[in-house]
Short mmCIF file of all heavy atoms in Angstrom, two decimals:
data_model
loop_
_atom_site.label_atom_id
_atom_site.label_comp_id
_atom_site.label_asym_id
_atom_site.label_seq_id
_atom_site.Cartn_x
_atom_site.Cartn_y
_atom_site.Cartn_z
N ILE A 17 -6.25 -27.56 -24.32
CA ILE A 17 -5.55 -28.73 -23.76
C ILE A 17 -5.98 -29.97 -24.53
O ILE A 17 -7.18 -30.27 -24.64
CB ILE A 17 -5.88 -28.88 -22.26
CG1 ILE A 17 -5.51 -27.59 -21.51
CG2 ILE A 17 -5.15 -30.08 -21.68
CD1 ILE A 17 -6.02 -27.55 -20.08
N PRO A 18 -5.03 -30.71 -25.11
CA PRO A 18 -5.39 -31.90 -25.89
C PRO A 18 -6.13 -32.93 -25.03
O PRO A 18 -5.87 -33.08 -23.83
CB PRO A 18 -4.04 -32.44 -26.36
CG PRO A 18 -3.10 -31.30 -26.24
CD PRO A 18 -3.58 -30.49 -25.09
N GLU A 19 -7.06 -33.59 -25.66
CA GLU A 19 -7.81 -34.63 -24.95
C GLU A 19 -6.86 -35.71 -24.46
O GLU A 19 -5.96 -36.16 -25.19
CB GLU A 19 -8.87 -35.22 -25.88
CG GLU A 19 -9.81 -36.20 -25.18
CD GLU A 19 -10.91 -36.70 -26.10
OE1 GLU A 19 -11.03 -36.16 -27.23
OE2 GLU A 19 -11.64 -37.62 -25.69
N GLY A 20 -7.05 -36.14 -23.19
CA GLY A 20 -6.19 -37.17 -22.63
C GLY A 20 -4.97 -36.64 -21.91
O GLY A 20 -4.10 -37.42 -21.49
N TYR A 21 -4.90 -35.30 -21.78
CA TYR A 21 -3.75 -34.69 -21.12
C TYR A 21 -4.23 -33.67 -20.08
O TYR A 21 -5.32 -33.11 -20.17
CB TYR A 21 -2.84 -33.99 -22.13
CG TYR A 21 -2.07 -34.93 -23.02
CD1 TYR A 21 -2.67 -35.46 -24.17
CD2 TYR A 21 -0.78 -35.31 -22.71
CE1 TYR A 21 -1.98 -36.33 -24.99
CE2 TYR A 21 -0.07 -36.17 -23.52
CZ TYR A 21 -0.67 -36.68 -24.66
OH TYR A 21 0.03 -37.55 -25.46
N SER A 22 -3.37 -33.45 -19.09
CA SER A 22 -3.59 -32.39 -18.11
C SER A 22 -2.38 -31.46 -18.14
O SER A 22 -1.33 -31.81 -18.68
CB SER A 22 -3.77 -32.97 -16.71
OG SER A 22 -2.59 -33.67 -16.29
N VAL A 23 -2.55 -30.28 -17.56
CA VAL A 23 -1.49 -29.28 -17.57
C VAL A 23 -0.91 -29.10 -16.18
O VAL A 23 -1.65 -28.97 -15.21
CB VAL A 23 -2.01 -27.93 -18.08
CG1 VAL A 23 -0.92 -26.86 -18.02
CG2 VAL A 23 -2.54 -28.04 -19.49
N THR A 24 0.41 -29.08 -16.11
CA THR A 24 1.10 -28.74 -14.86
C THR A 24 2.15 -27.67 -15.16
O THR A 24 2.58 -27.50 -16.29
CB THR A 24 1.79 -29.96 -14.23
OG1 THR A 24 2.82 -30.43 -15.12
CG2 THR A 24 0.81 -31.08 -13.96
N GLY A 25 2.54 -26.96 -14.10
CA GLY A 25 3.58 -25.94 -14.24
C GLY A 25 3.08 -24.58 -14.62
O GLY A 25 3.87 -23.63 -14.73
N TYR A 26 1.78 -24.43 -14.83
CA TYR A 26 1.29 -23.11 -15.26
C TYR A 26 1.31 -22.09 -14.13
O TYR A 26 1.18 -20.88 -14.36
CB TYR A 26 -0.11 -23.22 -15.86
CG TYR A 26 -1.20 -23.65 -14.90
CD1 TYR A 26 -1.87 -22.71 -14.13
CD2 TYR A 26 -1.56 -24.99 -14.78
CE1 TYR A 26 -2.89 -23.10 -13.26
CE2 TYR A 26 -2.55 -25.39 -13.91
CZ TYR A 26 -3.22 -24.44 -13.16
OH TYR A 26 -4.20 -24.83 -12.30
N GLU A 27 1.51 -22.56 -12.89
CA GLU A 27 1.61 -21.62 -11.77
C GLU A 27 2.78 -20.66 -11.95
O GLU A 27 2.76 -19.52 -11.47
CB GLU A 27 1.79 -22.39 -10.46
CG GLU A 27 0.64 -23.32 -10.10
CD GLU A 27 0.78 -24.69 -10.77
OE1 GLU A 27 1.76 -24.87 -11.52
OE2 GLU A 27 -0.10 -25.54 -10.56
N ASN A 28 3.83 -21.11 -12.67
CA ASN A 28 5.00 -20.25 -12.90
C ASN A 28 4.70 -19.10 -13.85
O ASN A 28 5.54 -18.20 -14.02
CB ASN A 28 6.15 -21.08 -13.47
CG ASN A 28 6.63 -22.13 -12.49
OD1 ASN A 28 6.58 -21.94 -11.28
ND2 ASN A 28 7.09 -23.27 -13.02
N LEU A 29 3.54 -19.12 -14.48
CA LEU A 29 3.17 -18.06 -15.40
C LEU A 29 2.55 -16.85 -14.69
O LEU A 29 2.21 -15.86 -15.34
CB LEU A 29 2.19 -18.59 -16.45
CG LEU A 29 2.70 -19.76 -17.31
CD1 LEU A 29 1.59 -20.26 -18.22
CD2 LEU A 29 3.91 -19.34 -18.12
N ASN A 30 2.38 -16.96 -13.38
CA ASN A 30 1.84 -15.85 -12.61
C ASN A 30 2.99 -15.01 -12.06
O ASN A 30 3.80 -15.48 -11.25
CB ASN A 30 0.99 -16.38 -11.45
CG ASN A 30 -0.26 -17.08 -11.93
OD1 ASN A 30 -1.20 -16.45 -12.40
ND2 ASN A 30 -0.27 -18.41 -11.83
N THR A 31 3.09 -13.79 -12.55
CA THR A 31 4.18 -12.91 -12.12
C THR A 31 3.71 -11.47 -12.17
O THR A 31 2.76 -11.13 -12.90
CB THR A 31 5.43 -13.09 -13.01
OG1 THR A 31 6.49 -12.30 -12.52
CG2 THR A 31 5.14 -12.68 -14.45
N LYS A 32 4.37 -10.61 -11.39
CA LYS A 32 3.99 -9.20 -11.39
C LYS A 32 5.17 -8.34 -10.97
O LYS A 32 5.72 -8.51 -9.89
CB LYS A 32 2.80 -8.95 -10.46
CG LYS A 32 2.26 -7.52 -10.52
CD LYS A 32 0.99 -7.37 -9.71
CE LYS A 32 0.40 -5.98 -9.84
NZ LYS A 32 -0.88 -5.83 -9.09
N VAL A 33 5.53 -7.42 -11.85
CA VAL A 33 6.53 -6.39 -11.55
C VAL A 33 5.88 -5.06 -11.90
O VAL A 33 5.65 -4.76 -13.08
CB VAL A 33 7.83 -6.58 -12.35
CG1 VAL A 33 8.79 -5.43 -12.06
CG2 VAL A 33 8.47 -7.91 -12.02
N GLU A 34 5.56 -4.27 -10.91
CA GLU A 34 4.88 -3.00 -11.15
C GLU A 34 5.63 -1.90 -10.43
O GLU A 34 5.77 -1.92 -9.20
CB GLU A 34 3.43 -3.05 -10.66
CG GLU A 34 2.64 -1.81 -11.02
CD GLU A 34 1.16 -1.93 -10.67
OE1 GLU A 34 0.77 -2.96 -10.09
OE2 GLU A 34 0.41 -1.00 -10.99
N ILE A 35 6.15 -0.94 -11.18
CA ILE A 35 6.92 0.16 -10.62
C ILE A 35 6.50 1.45 -11.31
O ILE A 35 5.64 1.46 -12.19
CB ILE A 35 8.44 -0.09 -10.80
CG1 ILE A 35 8.74 -0.62 -12.18
CG2 ILE A 35 8.99 -1.01 -9.75
CD1 ILE A 35 10.14 -1.09 -12.39
N GLU A 36 7.12 2.56 -10.91
CA GLU A 36 6.72 3.87 -11.40
C GLU A 36 6.87 3.99 -12.91
O GLU A 36 6.04 4.62 -13.58
CB GLU A 36 7.55 4.95 -10.70
CG GLU A 36 7.34 6.36 -11.23
CD GLU A 36 5.91 6.87 -11.07
OE1 GLU A 36 5.18 6.35 -10.20
OE2 GLU A 36 5.53 7.78 -11.83
N THR A 37 7.92 3.41 -13.46
CA THR A 37 8.18 3.57 -14.89
C THR A 37 7.27 2.71 -15.76
O THR A 37 7.13 2.96 -16.95
CB THR A 37 9.64 3.20 -15.20
OG1 THR A 37 9.87 1.85 -14.80
CG2 THR A 37 10.60 4.11 -14.46
N GLY A 38 6.70 1.66 -15.20
CA GLY A 38 5.87 0.74 -15.99
C GLY A 38 5.76 -0.58 -15.28
O GLY A 38 5.82 -0.65 -14.05
N GLY A 39 5.63 -1.64 -16.04
CA GLY A 39 5.55 -2.94 -15.39
C GLY A 39 5.25 -4.06 -16.36
O GLY A 39 4.94 -3.84 -17.54
N PHE A 40 5.37 -5.27 -15.83
CA PHE A 40 4.97 -6.46 -16.56
C PHE A 40 4.26 -7.38 -15.58
O PHE A 40 4.76 -7.64 -14.47
CB PHE A 40 6.17 -7.18 -17.17
CG PHE A 40 5.79 -8.47 -17.87
CD1 PHE A 40 5.26 -8.44 -19.14
CD2 PHE A 40 5.94 -9.70 -17.23
CE1 PHE A 40 4.89 -9.60 -19.79
CE2 PHE A 40 5.58 -10.87 -17.86
CZ PHE A 40 5.05 -10.83 -19.15
N GLU A 41 3.10 -7.87 -15.98
CA GLU A 41 2.39 -8.83 -15.14
C GLU A 41 1.70 -9.86 -16.02
O GLU A 41 1.34 -9.59 -17.17
CB GLU A 41 1.37 -8.12 -14.25
CG GLU A 41 0.29 -7.35 -14.97
CD GLU A 41 -0.67 -6.69 -14.00
OE1 GLU A 41 -1.41 -7.43 -13.30
OE2 GLU A 41 -0.68 -5.45 -13.93
N SER A 42 1.59 -11.05 -15.48
CA SER A 42 0.97 -12.14 -16.23
C SER A 42 0.21 -13.03 -15.27
O SER A 42 0.50 -13.09 -14.07
CB SER A 42 2.02 -12.95 -16.98
OG SER A 42 2.96 -13.52 -16.08
N SER A 43 -0.78 -13.73 -15.81
CA SER A 43 -1.57 -14.65 -14.99
C SER A 43 -1.98 -15.83 -15.85
O SER A 43 -2.04 -15.74 -17.08
CB SER A 43 -2.82 -13.95 -14.44
OG SER A 43 -3.68 -13.54 -15.49
N ALA A 44 -2.28 -16.95 -15.20
CA ALA A 44 -2.72 -18.16 -15.90
C ALA A 44 -3.79 -18.85 -15.07
O ALA A 44 -3.68 -18.93 -13.84
CB ALA A 44 -1.55 -19.09 -16.15
N ARG A 45 -4.82 -19.34 -15.76
CA ARG A 45 -5.90 -20.03 -15.05
C ARG A 45 -6.50 -21.08 -15.98
O ARG A 45 -6.45 -20.96 -17.21
CB ARG A 45 -6.97 -19.04 -14.61
CG ARG A 45 -7.68 -18.35 -15.77
CD ARG A 45 -8.65 -17.27 -15.31
NE ARG A 45 -9.38 -16.67 -16.42
CZ ARG A 45 -8.93 -15.67 -17.16
NH1 ARG A 45 -7.74 -15.14 -16.90
NH2 ARG A 45 -9.67 -15.19 -18.15
N LEU A 46 -7.08 -22.11 -15.38
CA LEU A 46 -7.77 -23.14 -16.14
C LEU A 46 -9.24 -22.78 -16.28
O LEU A 46 -9.89 -22.38 -15.31
CB LEU A 46 -7.63 -24.49 -15.44
CG LEU A 46 -6.23 -25.12 -15.43
CD1 LEU A 46 -6.25 -26.41 -14.61
CD2 LEU A 46 -5.75 -25.39 -16.85
N GLU A 47 -9.75 -22.90 -17.50
CA GLU A 47 -11.17 -22.72 -17.76
C GLU A 47 -11.63 -23.89 -18.62
O GLU A 47 -11.41 -23.91 -19.83
CB GLU A 47 -11.43 -21.39 -18.48
CG GLU A 47 -11.20 -20.16 -17.63
CD GLU A 47 -11.60 -18.87 -18.33
OE1 GLU A 47 -12.07 -18.96 -19.49
OE2 GLU A 47 -11.46 -17.79 -17.73
N GLY A 48 -12.22 -24.90 -17.97
CA GLY A 48 -12.63 -26.10 -18.69
C GLY A 48 -11.43 -26.81 -19.27
O GLY A 48 -10.46 -27.11 -18.57
N ASN A 49 -11.47 -27.03 -20.58
CA ASN A 49 -10.36 -27.72 -21.23
C ASN A 49 -9.37 -26.74 -21.86
O ASN A 49 -8.65 -27.09 -22.81
CB ASN A 49 -10.88 -28.68 -22.31
CG ASN A 49 -11.53 -27.95 -23.47
OD1 ASN A 49 -11.96 -26.80 -23.32
ND2 ASN A 49 -11.59 -28.60 -24.63
N THR A 50 -9.32 -25.50 -21.35
CA THR A 50 -8.37 -24.52 -21.86
C THR A 50 -7.54 -23.92 -20.73
O THR A 50 -8.00 -23.85 -19.57
CB THR A 50 -9.08 -23.37 -22.60
OG1 THR A 50 -9.89 -22.63 -21.67
CG2 THR A 50 -9.93 -23.89 -23.74
N LEU A 51 -6.35 -23.51 -21.08
CA LEU A 51 -5.50 -22.73 -20.19
C LEU A 51 -5.50 -21.31 -20.73
O LEU A 51 -5.10 -21.07 -21.88
CB LEU A 51 -4.07 -23.29 -20.16
CG LEU A 51 -3.04 -22.48 -19.38
CD1 LEU A 51 -3.37 -22.45 -17.89
CD2 LEU A 51 -1.63 -23.03 -19.61
N VAL A 52 -5.95 -20.35 -19.92
CA VAL A 52 -6.04 -18.95 -20.35
C VAL A 52 -4.91 -18.17 -19.70
O VAL A 52 -4.78 -18.12 -18.48
CB VAL A 52 -7.40 -18.33 -19.97
CG1 VAL A 52 -7.46 -16.86 -20.41
CG2 VAL A 52 -8.54 -19.12 -20.60
N ILE A 53 -4.10 -17.55 -20.54
CA ILE A 53 -2.94 -16.77 -20.08
C ILE A 53 -3.13 -15.33 -20.52
O ILE A 53 -3.47 -15.05 -21.67
CB ILE A 53 -1.64 -17.33 -20.69
CG1 ILE A 53 -1.47 -18.80 -20.33
CG2 ILE A 53 -0.43 -16.52 -20.24
CD1 ILE A 53 -0.46 -19.52 -21.20
N GLU A 54 -2.91 -14.42 -19.60
CA GLU A 54 -2.98 -13.00 -19.92
C GLU A 54 -1.70 -12.32 -19.46
O GLU A 54 -1.18 -12.60 -18.38
CB GLU A 54 -4.20 -12.34 -19.27
CG GLU A 54 -5.52 -12.89 -19.80
CD GLU A 54 -6.72 -12.15 -19.27
OE1 GLU A 54 -7.00 -11.06 -19.81
OE2 GLU A 54 -7.36 -12.65 -18.34
N ALA A 55 -1.19 -11.42 -20.30
CA ALA A 55 0.04 -10.70 -19.98
C ALA A 55 -0.11 -9.24 -20.37
O ALA A 55 -0.80 -8.92 -21.35
CB ALA A 55 1.23 -11.32 -20.69
N LYS A 56 0.54 -8.38 -19.61
CA LYS A 56 0.50 -6.94 -19.91
C LYS A 56 1.87 -6.33 -19.64
O LYS A 56 2.46 -6.54 -18.58
CB LYS A 56 -0.54 -6.22 -19.05
CG LYS A 56 -0.64 -4.72 -19.33
CD LYS A 56 -1.62 -4.02 -18.40
CE LYS A 56 -1.01 -3.77 -17.03
NZ LYS A 56 -1.84 -2.86 -16.19
N LYS A 57 2.37 -5.60 -20.62
CA LYS A 57 3.61 -4.83 -20.45
C LYS A 57 3.29 -3.37 -20.71
O LYS A 57 2.66 -3.03 -21.72
CB LYS A 57 4.70 -5.31 -21.40
CG LYS A 57 6.02 -4.56 -21.22
CD LYS A 57 7.14 -5.17 -22.05
CE LYS A 57 6.91 -4.99 -23.53
NZ LYS A 57 8.07 -5.43 -24.34
#
């Protein structure tokens, strides 16, 4: 995250679709001055 800025809207990066055939899920969290996003398909 650039100095002098904050992040909004990252809540929309949290999603989960998990079914028998497979799935896609993602998460986002703040850690200090970074936004950490993880996704799995």
Side-chain angles (χ1 to χ4, degrees):
I17 303 170
E19 187 176 352
Y21 289 84
S22 62
V23 177
T24 64
Y26 65 87
E27 299 85 358
N28 296 328
L29 301 176
N30 293 288
T31 184
K32 186 173 184 178
V33 176
E34 186 173 4
I35 43 189
E36 173 62 23
T37 59
F40 177 80
E41 60 180 293
S42 60
S43 63
R45 64 186 183 275
L46 291 176
E47 291 186 0
N49 66 338
T50 65
L51 174 66
V52 179
I53 303 163
E54 296 186 80
K56 181 184 79 169
K57 182 173 67 173

